[in-house]
Amino acid sequence: MDELSSRAPILASAGVRALPLCAIVAHALLCPYTKVEESFNLQAVHDLLYHGARLGSYDHLEFPGVVPRTFLAPIALAAVALPAALAQRALGLSGLWVQLAARLCLGGANATTLARVRRGVDARFGRAAGGLFALVCACQFHLPFYASRTLPNTFALIFTNLSLALWLDGAAERALLVLVPPIICLRAELLLLLAPLGLLLLAQGRVRFWHVVRRGVALGLALLALSVAVDSLFWRRLLWPEGDVLHFNLYLGQSSRWGTAPAHWYFSSALPRALLGAAPLALVGALCERRARALVGVPCAFVCAFSLLPHKELRFVLYALPPLNVAAALGAAHLLRLAAPPAAKADARRGASALRAHAARRWCATLALLAVACGSCAVTLASVAASRANYPGAHALRALHRAAPTGEAAARAHCCRAHIDAAAAMTGVSLFLQDDPRFAYSKAERGAVAAEYTHLVTARPRVDGFVLLHAEGGFERLQAWPPHVRLVPTIFVHESKRVASLRARGGI
């Protein structure tokens, strides 16, 4: 690997190593809005920053979601994002800037742990392999895209990345113990990742079973007590959130209400889409580098176990991507060595047929790497374009703020009442965006009467007593030629005829 670093010094450069962070920041800036899966943690961060100890004003008490989630992760994120909230209040900025700052803090934490993994790859496999790992991560779509999203899986990814880094460093026991916090507080199914990693390290004689079990149980009980104490306070009942999640998903089997997929779906669809060109490179790494086989085997064992659950989403197996990317980096390094020109002395000793065979291998390796890199980047760019059009609710709310009445009367707080329906709330509207002083916002789902509101942000294209102000397009499909994102009207902004009439007469 040292020889490869000397032949390709750019792989060891600071610019290549900073690519994952740059990719995470770019994805956050290009797609600053959030979806319904991210809403609990994001709304909790908002309430912690703006309501503080006034727990009765918190959003989760009115909209608790299907299962409760811990407040430990939002508390940590809100603490880091507090300076951004203070600056926003002082400067009168949009709440979107605080939302983006919170997401960038989370993305920065994941970028830091990916950099920690990269340093482990440097130490074990060489700096060229570390640079290739950074390059592989940056060229993908899903890993940088999810890295700043306020999902429980994303918070857990911080810990799984640390575990991978410690594993690469040879700190076997710490690699297992660092998985205990996310299992207890964030995603209990990470026990399915702890099990194969623990069995591997035990078989290799790198951990003492009862010693690590005692330390893990002690740490788990302490974290369980912390979660119960904190979350019972915020949820106003005795509660261990991950216990409720396990009861709902495993004992009651209710997760299948949100759709099911065949057992092979993670391997036939989710992982190929997430890995892109890293998938064949990881296979090359596993075949050509003995030390890479465990990096493929452990995440694949986790995904196999997780495939037994009927409800499947790509974000559930996000933790498998970094170790597979390490294996892909080793595969890419192997191809680069094949593509490297031979030394002059070795060239002189070879016959013509040997030189022709080496040249053919070089061309094949070079073309394979170029195809993988170009293909991954093309798919990532198309995915970003599609994602930008996937938040019509947020764009529609911003359009409402631009089109709303202005003037002296409208400048008074809560001049207008806006209702945000479920479709809009699920496609980008967050509490951070509900910051226009001219409006009082409502997301009431039951008993909401349109006549009570001056404006509606809704999936309904027509509403009696209202006039259409704006129709926001949402993603329908990607069109190959001419290449563009095809949109279809999805979320509509309506204004009551009474307000529209006053506006026409200059009353507001």
Side-chain angles (χ1 to χ4, degrees):
M1 294 293 180
D2 292 335
E3 179 186 357
L4 183 58
S5 299
S6 63
R7 290 188 173 189
I10 191 173
L11 293 176
S13 66
V16 169
R17 291 163 184 274
L19 284 177
L21 174 61
C22 295
I24 290 170
V25 171
H27 280 280
L29 294 175
L30 290 171
C31 302
Y33 305 114
T34 57
K35 279 290 191 72
V36 62
E37 296 88 352
E38 308 158 58
S39 61
F40 169 74
N41 286 308
L42 191 70
Q43 313 291 51
V45 169
H46 173 277
D47 291 340
L48 287 162
L49 290 173
Y50 293 97
H51 296 312
R54 301 191 303 274
L55 300 186
S57 301
Y58 277 42
D59 182 79
H60 73 286
L61 297 178
E62 184 178 1
F63 303 100
V66 179
V67 290
R69 288 295 181 185
T70 183
F71 265 84
L72 293 176
I75 288 172
L77 186 55
V80 179
L82 179 59
L86 296 176
Q88 181 258 338
R89 290 173 180 171
L91 300 175
L93 301 174
S94 166
L96 177 62
W97 292 106
V98 185
Q99 174 174 309
L100 187 57
R103 286 191 52 202
L104 289 174
C105 290
L106 178 57
N110 270 302
T112 301
T113 56
L114 285 174
R116 180 69 179 80
V117 172
R118 191 256 307 150
R119 290 196 296 272
V121 176
D122 286 346
R124 189 169 181 185
F125 302 108
R127 291 176 62 82
L132 287 167
F133 169 75
L135 196 58
V136 167
C137 291
C139 287
Q140 292 170 342
F141 170 73
H142 289 91
L143 184 60
F145 178 80
Y146 277 116
S148 67
R149 306 221 153 250
T150 52
L151 295 159
N153 313 81
T154 307
F155 287 101
L157 183 64
I158 297 171
F159 294 90
T160 60
N161 286 341
L162 285 175
S163 176
L164 173 59
L166 292 167
W167 179 20
L168 292 171
D169 289 346
E173 185 174 301
R174 291 167 61 198
L176 297 177
L177 292 176
V178 81
L179 291 175
V180 175
I183 289 173
I184 298 298
C185 302
L186 293 167
R187 299 297 304 190
E189 72 268 11
L190 281 175
L191 186 62
L192 299 176
L193 179 60
L194 176 67
L197 179 59
L199 289 174
L200 173 68
L201 297 176
L202 187 64
Q204 293 174 340
R206 296 171 61 186
V207 295
R208 292 173 292 169
F209 179 76
W210 288 114
H211 180 72
V212 75
V213 166
R214 284 195 297 269
R215 294 188 65 183
V217 169
L219 177 60
L221 290 175
L223 289 164
L224 176 62
L226 177 64
S227 176
V228 170
V230 171
D231 293 312
S232 296
L233 172 66
F234 280 95
W235 286 94
R236 297 184 169 180
R237 60 186 175 94
L238 187 63
L239 176 68
W240 173 37
E242 276 307 294
D244 270 29
V245 173
L246 286 173
H247 179 262
F248 182 85
N249 288 336
L250 295 183
Y251 182 75
L252 299 179
Q254 293 297 302
S255 63
S256 58
R257 288 162 49 188
W258 282 265
T260 61
H264 59 78
W265 184 81
Y266 284 126
F267 289 101
S268 62
S269 178
L271 285 180
R273 286 186 289 117
L275 290 168
L276 299 177
L281 290 178
L283 181 59
V284 172
L287 292 174
C288 301
E289 172 61 65
R290 180 180 55 82
R291 293 175 296 177
R293 289 165 193 166
L295 293 164
V296 174
V298 169
C300 285
F302 160 70
V303 176
C304 282
F306 212 79
S307 296
L308 298 177
L309 298 177
H311 178 58
K312 297 175 175 64
E313 293 185 40
L314 189 150
R315 60 189 174 95
F316 294 163
V317 294
L318 197 62
Y319 333 104
L321 301 186
L324 291 172
N325 284 349
V326 176
L330 299 180
H334 178 77
L335 292 178
L336 279 177
R337 287 196 300 273
L338 290 180
K345 291 182 180 179
D347 221 5
R349 291 195 300 267
R350 292 183 179 183
S353 61
L355 289 175
R356 284 195 296 270
H358 182 76
R361 287 196 300 270
R362 285 179 58 195
W363 275 108
C364 289
T366 302
L367 290 174
L369 286 171
L370 286 175
V372 163
C374 293
S376 294
C377 290
V379 173
T380 296
L381 291 174
S383 300
V384 170
S387 295
R388 282 177 58 80
N390 219 10
Y391 303 91
H395 292 293
L397 185 62
R398 301 298 294 275
L400 169 62
H401 292 162
R402 293 191 298 269
T406 58
E408 183 178 344
R412 292 195 293 268
H414 303 333
C415 168
C416 303
R417 285 179 51 80
H419 183 264
I420 300 164
D421 76 356
M426 292 170 64
T427 55
V429 174
S430 71
L431 293 175
F432 285 103
L433 303 186
Q434 297 169 212
D435 63 345
D436 193 313
R438 295 171 295 175
F439 285 91
Y441 302 91
S442 173
K443 295 185 293 185
E445 296 179 7
R446 295 180 180 177
V449 180
E452 298 176 1
Y453 302 98
T454 59
H455 296 84
L456 306 176
V457 184
T458 176
R460 293 185 290 171
R462 288 179 296 276
V463 181
D464 290 341
F466 286 78
V467 294
L468 179 65
L469 283 183
H470 177 77
E472 184 63 43
F475 175 77
E476 183 185 34
R477 62 184 174 88
L478 288 170
Q479 185 161 312
W481 193 260
H484 72 280
V485 178
R486 187 176 179 87
L487 304 177
V488 61
T490 304
I491 301 296
F492 304 87
V493 178
H494 301 282
E495 183 175 70
S496 71
K497 291 182 177 180
R498 176 181 58 83
V499 174
S501 176
L502 286 172
R503 186 209 296 266
R505 297 199 303 268
I508 55 175

